[in-house]
Amino acid sequence: MIPFKFEYYKPETLEEAFDLFNDLSLQGKVPVYYGGGTEIITMARANNIHMGAVIDVKGITECCNIEVRDNRLEIGSAVTLSQITESKLFPLLGQTSARIADHTVQCKLTIGGNLCGTIIYRETSLPLLLCDSTAVVFGRNGKREVPFNQIFNEKLVLEPGEILACIIVDSEYCSLPYIHVKKTKNEKIAYPLLTVAAIKKDNQIRVAFSGLCRFPFRSLEIESYINDNTLNNKEKISKIIGSLSDSILSDIEGSSNYRKFVLEKTLKNTIKMLEKV
Ligand SMILES: Cc1cc2nc3c(=O)[nH]c(=O)nc-3n(C[C@H](O)[C@H](O)[C@H](O)COP(=O)(O)OP(=O)(O)OC[C@H]3O[C@@H](n4cnc5c(N)ncnc54)[C@H](O)[C@@H]3O)c2cc1C
């Protein structure tokens, strides 16, 4: 049970949601946007957040659609991970979503909640970082489209009250060759010890990671080693690990040395497989 009272709103437009957020803030009610609610409910039950109001974004059509229009795939922020997988519109994002929690939970978790939440892994960001996607956000000056690589820095960087409306990906990226590998400590369904997502575009491999450091990331330096034809694969991997060594995570999922070991094996296979296509 949530041990305090809060108000519930379900606006129908982005503007209405943003205005509500501001009005409720001015009244001191500490509003939060609400996607699937899994994190909000869990944190409220544990008394880790105390919101006075939730603004459910699932009443906003733009946040709920997943469709291809003019060769661009639009994914609303309130689209669930299971909808993304079942749509088969973006196989790499679908596979990433299918490895987050179990199927029942995937039917609740939204992509907006995964990107904006506090849990550090934010695995759905990996395909978006690789595929030059765009985030559409609504705030003080109305709607703005921002390259995902600019607005995502360890987490989605939104201004106060700004709402993530949807993500746009050029259709051409959705059919590129890709690899997705998620390694967990014990069970198949768990937080990642290491998740690697990679694509090949214009003969260049792009790669992004979650679980390896304190936040998900794509590194152009790492990609420059991978795509350097003067290096053999052993040299590539050693340079990558050297560049990361100080920031590799050590926690309950695994020590930093173990993560390095898993990274080495996973990268070796990833490079080998994408080199062939
Ligand atoms: C059992 C379980 C296992 C999990 N395993 C993994 C995992 O392996 N890998 C991984 O990456 N994640 C994992 N997660 C994390 C999960 O994806 C996040 O907790 C995510 O926040 C849940 O989505 P939600 O829609 O329920 O979010 P909500 O609880 O609705 O919201 C989370 C946060 O996002 C904000 N928010 C939501 N929508 C918007 C929006 N449109 N605009 C602005 N802010 C918004 C909310 O205000 C809130 O602060 C797991 C979660 C659970 C419950």
Side-chain angles (χ1 to χ4, degrees), residues 13-31:
T13 65
L14 291 166
E15 194 170 9
E16 212 186 312
F18 180 72
D19 289 347
L20 251 175
F21 192 99
N22 282 317
D23 291 348
L24 291 163
S25 299
L26 286 173
Q27 293 169 44
K29 288 194 174 154
V30 192

Side-chain angles (χ1 to χ4, degrees), residues 108-125:
K108 275 263 164 214
L109 300 181
T110 64
I111 185 166
N114 184 259
L115 294 170
C116 300
T118 56
I119 293 176
I120 62 166
Y121 304 107
R122 302 185 183 99
E123 287 181 77
T124 59
S125 65

Side-chain angles (χ1 to χ4, degrees), residues 27-203:
Q27 293 169 44
K29 288 194 174 154
V30 192
V32 289
Y33 291 123
Y34 181 103
T38 58
E39 186 175 308
I40 293 171
I41 293 170
T42 309
M43 287 173 74
R45 279 183 178 150
N47 260 319
N48 288 331
I49 50 166
H50 195 106
M51 69 282 178
V54 298
I55 302 171
D56 193 340
V57 301
K58 294 192 294 297
I60 305 168
T61 313
E62 245 164 318
C63 296
C64 298
N65 284 342
I66 173 162
E67 60 183 345
V68 180
R69 271 201 290 175
D70 302 328
N71 288 323
R72 302 192 326 165
L73 170 63
E74 295 185 14
I75 308 166
S77 60
V79 170
T80 64
L81 301 190
S82 59
Q83 282 175 298
I84 293 171
T85 308
E86 281 154 25
S87 77
K88 298 188 168 58
L89 290 170
F90 187 179
L92 173 55
L93 185 61
Q95 196 168 328
T96 307
S97 302
R99 289 295 318 274
I100 295 176
D102 61 23
H103 184 259
T104 310
V105 185
Q106 285 156 20
C107 295
K108 275 263 164 214
L109 300 181
T110 64
I111 185 166
N114 184 259
L115 294 170
C116 300
T118 56
I119 293 176
I120 62 166
Y121 304 107
R122 302 185 183 99
E123 287 181 77
T124 59
S125 65
L126 306 187
L128 308 180
L129 288 168
L130 296 177
C131 292
D132 297 332
S133 32
T134 302
V136 182
V137 296
F138 191 96
R140 195 179 313 280
N141 299 317
K143 215 188 252 185
R144 62 183 178 114
E145 291 194 6
V146 200
F148 189 78
N149 284 300
Q150 273 176 29
I151 201 171
F152 192 86
N153 183 7
E154 303 186 9
K155 59 181 185 173
L156 207 68
V157 185
L158 296 173
E159 288 177 11
E162 254 188 345
I163 177 171
L164 175 66
C166 65
I167 298 289
I168 299 176
V169 188
D170 246 42
S171 295
E172 64 159 323
Y173 286 93
C174 300
S175 53
L176 291 173
Y178 71 89
I179 303 273
H180 177 272
V181 181
K182 178 168 178 172
K183 301 281 187 190
T184 51
K185 187 177 169 191
N186 292 316
E187 307 294 326
K188 188 176 175 210
I189 296 164
Y191 290 136
L193 181 67
L194 171 70
T195 297
V196 174
I199 61 167
K200 192 164 182 185
K201 166 126 179 53
D202 302 329
N203 222 23

Side-chain angles (χ1 to χ4, degrees), residues 177 179 198-200 203-205 225-234 236-237 267-277:
I179 303 273
I199 61 167
K200 192 164 182 185
N203 222 23
Q204 299 285 297
I205 294 171
Y225 296 136
I226 291 179
N227 293 304
D228 184 343
N229 294 331
T230 65
L231 301 173
N232 64 37
N233 285 355
K234 207 172 163 198
K236 290 179 185 183
I237 291 163
L267 273 179
K268 203 165 145 192
N269 290 336
T270 303
I271 296 171
K272 214 190 268 174
M273 284 165 82
L274 281 179
E275 268 173 356
K276 282 190 208 145
V277 293

